[in-house]
Amino acid sequence: MKMDSFRKALGVNLGDEVVRRIEDEELGISTRKRRIERAQRLVREHVKRGISLVDELIAERRKAAGRA
């Protein structure tokens, strides 16, 4: 299989940043963009719509700073 075929099958364009990992003696390759999208989907499965984890983190940090 030619490199172009691999890139096309994985949706990788020239210049894209790729992530490589070895898991159970197998090599996995994906784009950084797809890994971020996957992580966002996984988080959304556990966080209700309309909830901002960033806002919650900032509120927690402010609360902790007030106690210090």
Side-chain angles (χ1 to χ4, degrees), residues 42-63:
L42 290 171
V43 168
R44 278 290 154 217
E45 288 178 12
H46 302 283
V47 178
K48 295 178 185 175
R49 287 264 177 224
I51 300 291
S52 169
L53 295 178
V54 172
D55 290 343
E56 287 189 9
L57 176 63
I58 291 170
E60 287 177 12
R61 296 292 168 96
R62 285 182 177 152
K63 187 176 178 181

Side-chain angles (χ1 to χ4, degrees), residues 30-45:
S30 62
T31 63
R32 181 180 174 106
K33 180 181 176 184
R34 286 195 181 182
R35 297 298 294 172
I36 291 170
E37 289 169 350
R38 180 174 183 267
Q40 289 171 334
R41 279 194 312 273
L42 290 171
V43 168
R44 278 290 154 217
E45 288 178 12

Side-chain angles (χ1 to χ4, degrees), residues 5-24:
S5 299
F6 278 110
R7 275 199 294 269
K8 186 176 179 179
L10 294 172
V12 176
N13 298 309
L14 284 174
D16 283 353
E17 191 172 340
V18 295
V19 177
R20 300 169 310 263
R21 67 191 179 291
I22 297 176
E23 192 172 307
D24 296 326

